[in-house]
Amino acid sequence: MKENAWEEISETLNEQDLPLCIWVIEDATRETSEIEYDSVSNKIVGFVLPFNNGEANANAYLVTSATTIVNFFQKNDKANYTYVIMAKPLQDTSSAFCLSIYGTNNKFTSEDVINRWNVMQKLTSEVDIKILGFSSDGDTRLLKAMQTSAYQQQSSQYYIQDMVHIGTKFRTRLLKPNVTLPIGNFLISASHLQKLIETYSKDKHLLTRRNLIPEDKMNFRLAEKMCAPTVLELLKYIPESRNNCIPKINELCGHFIFR
């Protein structure tokens, strides 16, 4: 993150007469990276950027000699993910700000996330900007960081996960034959949906056998179909499904997907 990033955001918000309040969104995407030398900054680019207590060491790969370059290759990993952090003002028509883009190997913990958020909140407070909340894509480490932060009494932020990712990840795990999916004291199985399809005609539930094939992992529409109220209602009449899956599927789908 650039040192003057928050000052620039503050100036822009004031110029556009917008509230000094933003929402932070972050996500990672896999990349095909290469190690390169940047002559402008005199740094090697493409290695995993190290963090310490939530702050990135932007000068970690500063070139001082040929020996330092050799050491970088011997001791560091090449980044295979790009992590992007954006800030969105509380105005639909306003553009989002790119706070940071850095290379990572996707090996971080929920504690690392919390430390990074703490640094961001410290920097924003210095320019009188409030972070209203954080959003991400359903990553378990960010989920844990959100849960931990939400339970802290001093936390004033809101935390939102991408419901599309949560829904599709739920469907993917449910349809894997070698995965046991416990929710509370219940075990959920796709066999109940298979039995439902065999028992009732498609016009009753809109499901097909092909919907239970674990492909097209990001098809949220199929996740919605599997958790539709008509499906949950019919599952009540499938032997053993009532005790094993209906209560918790209803709670999960109603709370996380439809509301």
Side-chain angles (χ1 to χ4, degrees), residues 10 128 140 161 204 217 219:
S10 178
D128 297 324
T140 54
Q161 287 286 332
K204 300 293 193 302
K217 295 182 179 180
N219 193 326

Side-chain angles (χ1 to χ4, degrees), residues 180-188 243-245 247-249 251-252:
T180 300
L181 186 59
I183 298 184
N185 296 323
F186 303 90
L187 292 178
I188 297 178
N243 291 332
N244 287 338
C245 70
K248 286 300 177 180
I249 280 188
E251 177 183 334
L252 179 72

